[in-house]
Amino acid sequence: MQMSPALACLTLGLALVFGEGYALYLQESEAARLATDFGVKVFQQVAQASKDHNVVFSPYGVTSVLAMLQLTTGGDTQQQIQEAMGFKIQDKSVALAFRQLHKELMGPWNKDEITTTDAIFVQRDVKLVEGFMPHFFQLFRTTVKQVDFSEVERARYIINDWVKRHTKGMITDLLSKGAVDQLTRLVLVNALYFNGQWKTPFPKSGTHHRLFHKLDGSTVSVPMMAQTNKFNYTEFTTPDGHYYDILELPYHGETLSMFIAAPYEKKVPLSALTNILDAELISQWKGNMTRLTRLLVLPKFSLETEIDLRRPLENLGMTDMFSPHLADFTSLSDQELLYVSQALQKVKIEVNESGTVASSSTAILVSARMAPEEIIMDRPFLVVVRHNPTGTVLFMGQVMEP
């Protein structure tokens, strides 16, 4: 039948020596690394397929949905998902760590606003495996929502309205007409919303049109913001010898930052950077930064992407769940044969003088090269919105043309 969706265990010794708080910190950091590494792998697949087009993506969002999906599957289908993600959500320590990470992301100490919510919508008359609903609640702290997919438009409205409310109106039509039908049995959704104000806003008087250099050698005139300030800055080289600049723009709460990275030479494709990304590399950026006075010139930009996740997930080894003949969803229901008919993500991000609003419904060597006096992002660049205390990457994107 048709379906539409979308730490390691710490030793007692650590808790005894350093205290329970430290043990929880290590758990949530490991959960953040696992979530980011898997999410970045999916982003790399998406970016490779989109080539020279703008992309914005939520690594955390896709990890949340597939963690829920793990719980509904069995056999080879479940094993493929677990191997691709690098963890088993049913492991007690893993589930606890992800719940702790969720609390850390939503905590009021962040100042900048983050909300993330998961939901599972199941066909009302599907007979679920005994114990599934309480087990699901235990792991994800959210109840199973029952809808009637035989009333196609009403079911679509219910899910879209849930997404709209949990993204504060940014994602208004996650499921387009025809996305669900009378064979739909299950829809898994994560809604992620972020609203952050820059610690030091860009003066609007400093915004002027400048030329942006596209990868094909052409240029386009776009509004670019500018400010001179002290920024955290570093540079790295890729394994094939390309230099790239990384600059951190903190939001006013300082627990979240946008990292902006671009190859130093305009002719070097952004893929030289995106192809080597993982959580450890982004942590290295943060750990090797020096505070320097620079003039930063950054385009204002607004990106919106709708991504079909099927091919990226299949490329990472998750093939059975898309096959009507091979998919195993017996952990959810043993009454019907189910498979994933769609996996998708919609993301919006807006960056301007005051900050960022974004929402979704999913060995490198340090070089001693002289730092430039100006950081002008007038060529394709990568953006990463990161929760620094845990290392969780909430959003990332490639800006090929603002």
Side-chain angles (χ1 to χ4, degrees):
M1 295 297 171
Q2 195 172 23
M3 184 192 78
S4 299
L7 266 177
C9 183
L10 295 181
T11 64
L12 179 61
L14 278 175
L16 291 174
V17 174
F18 296 104
E20 187 179 349
Y22 182 72
L24 284 173
Y25 166 75
L26 287 181
Q27 281 184 313
E28 71 191 29
S29 296
E30 179 66 4
R33 183 190 67 78
L34 291 168
T36 295
D37 274 345
F38 173 67
V40 170
K41 283 179 186 176
V42 182
F43 171 76
Q44 287 168 334
Q45 293 289 330
V46 172
Q48 285 169 16
S50 60
K51 295 181 180 175
D52 57 351
H53 291 92
N54 291 335
V55 175
V56 61
F57 182 76
S58 174
Y60 182 81
V62 74
T63 301
S64 291
V65 168
L66 281 159
M68 289 192 292
L69 192 69
Q70 271 196 34
L71 200 64
T72 67
T73 57
D76 291 343
T77 303
Q78 186 179 71
Q79 187 176 346
Q80 287 178 358
I81 300 172
Q82 290 170 344
E83 287 178 356
M85 299 187 78
F87 63 86
K88 299 177 181 180
I89 196 62
Q90 295 209 60
D91 287 353
K92 187 176 179 181
S93 59
V94 175
L96 177 63
F98 272 89
R99 283 205 301 275
Q100 190 63 30
L101 175 60
H102 185 273
K103 288 180 183 177
E104 184 70 21
L105 294 176
M106 299 272 280
W109 48 83
N110 289 306
K111 295 187 181 178
D112 297 290
E113 183 182 2
I114 307 174
T115 59
T116 177
T117 315
D118 297 307
I120 177 171
F121 297 88
V122 179
Q123 170 63 29
R124 185 171 295 157
D125 56 6
V126 166
K127 186 174 176 56
L128 300 179
V129 169
E130 187 176 350
F132 175 81
M133 291 177 76
H135 187 39
F136 186 85
F137 180 81
Q138 182 185 14
L139 290 187
F140 295 101
R141 292 298 190 265
T142 186
T143 57
V144 175
K145 296 169 174 55
Q146 294 183 313
V147 294
D148 186 358
F149 287 107
S150 67
E151 299 180 26
V152 175
E153 280 307 296
R154 176 168 171 75
R156 188 171 74 92
Y157 171 81
I158 289 170
I159 297 169
N160 282 346
D161 184 64
W162 184 91
V163 171
K164 182 179 178 180
R165 284 187 285 111
H166 286 89
T167 59
K168 301 210 169 178
M170 286 194 76
I171 309 293
T172 57
D173 194 26
L174 174 66
L175 301 178
S176 57
K177 197 172 181 67
V180 300
D181 58 29
Q182 294 190 354
L183 293 178
T184 302
R185 294 294 179 266
L186 175 69
V187 177
L188 303 151
V189 187
N190 168 268
L192 178 62
Y193 176 83
F194 169 65
N195 188 345
Q197 307 301 308
W198 301 127
K199 182 180 178 183
T200 306
F202 290 80
K204 290 193 175 183
S205 60
T207 299
H208 301 289
H209 273 75
R210 293 178 180 236
L211 291 180
F212 184 90
H213 299 262
K214 296 168 65 177
L215 201 56
D216 62 6
S218 64
T219 59
V220 59
S221 178
V222 300
M224 292 202 187
M225 312 176 292
Q227 65 165 290
T228 301
N229 214 321
K230 284 193 171 181
F231 296 100
N232 284 337
Y233 168 84
T234 190
E235 57 185 32
F236 277 77
T237 55
T238 62
D240 51 5
H242 296 301
Y243 290 102
Y244 56 98
D245 300 310
I246 305 104
L247 185 135
E248 179 182 10
L249 272 176
Y251 296 98
H252 86 291
E254 293 196 72
T255 56
L256 287 124
S257 300
M258 176 178 282
F259 292 84
I260 303 165
Y264 183 62
E265 299 176 64
K266 292 183 176 68
K267 65 182 180 181
V268 175
L270 194 58
S271 58
L273 177 52
T274 57
N275 288 345
I276 60 171
L277 271 180
D278 59 17
E280 177 60 28
L281 178 58
I282 298 169
S283 293
Q284 285 183 29
W285 295 352
K286 178 66 176 172
N288 287 282
M289 288 186 149
T290 304
R291 199 154 179 79
L292 299 170
T293 300
R294 292 289 179 265
L295 165 65
L296 172 63
V297 179
L298 177 70
K300 291 172 64 170
F301 62 91
S302 176
L303 304 181
E304 182 173 354
T305 306
E306 179 174 347
I307 300 164
D308 182 345
L309 293 172
R310 176 168 181 161
R311 184 62 60 83
L313 296 180
E314 286 181 331
N315 288 346
L316 293 174
M318 290 171 275
T319 55
D320 283 10
M321 67 184 190
F322 292 105
S323 168
H325 307 293
L326 299 175
D328 182 345
F329 281 85
T330 51
S331 295
L332 174 74
S333 173
D334 51 15
Q335 302 295 305
E336 289 193 89
L337 298 176
L338 306 173
Y339 75 102
V340 177
S341 59
Q342 288 187 69
L344 56 91
Q345 185 181 83
K346 282 190 179 182
V347 188
K348 285 185 183 179
I349 187 169
E350 298 171 4
V351 174
N352 58 29
E353 290 88 351
S354 60
T356 304
V357 180
S359 196
S360 73
S361 196
T362 165
I364 303 299
L365 302 176
V366 179
S367 169
R369 178 175 62 85
M370 184 71 72
E373 291 301 313
E374 296 182 337
I375 308 293
I376 301 177
M377 291 296 167
D378 61 354
R379 58 202 183 280
F381 59 93
L382 179 78
V383 296
V384 175
V385 177
R386 180 179 187 262
H387 183 257
N388 291 318
T390 63
T392 306
V393 174
L394 300 176
F395 296 95
M396 64 194 312
Q398 61 181 29
V399 182
M400 309 304 283
E401 180 181 347

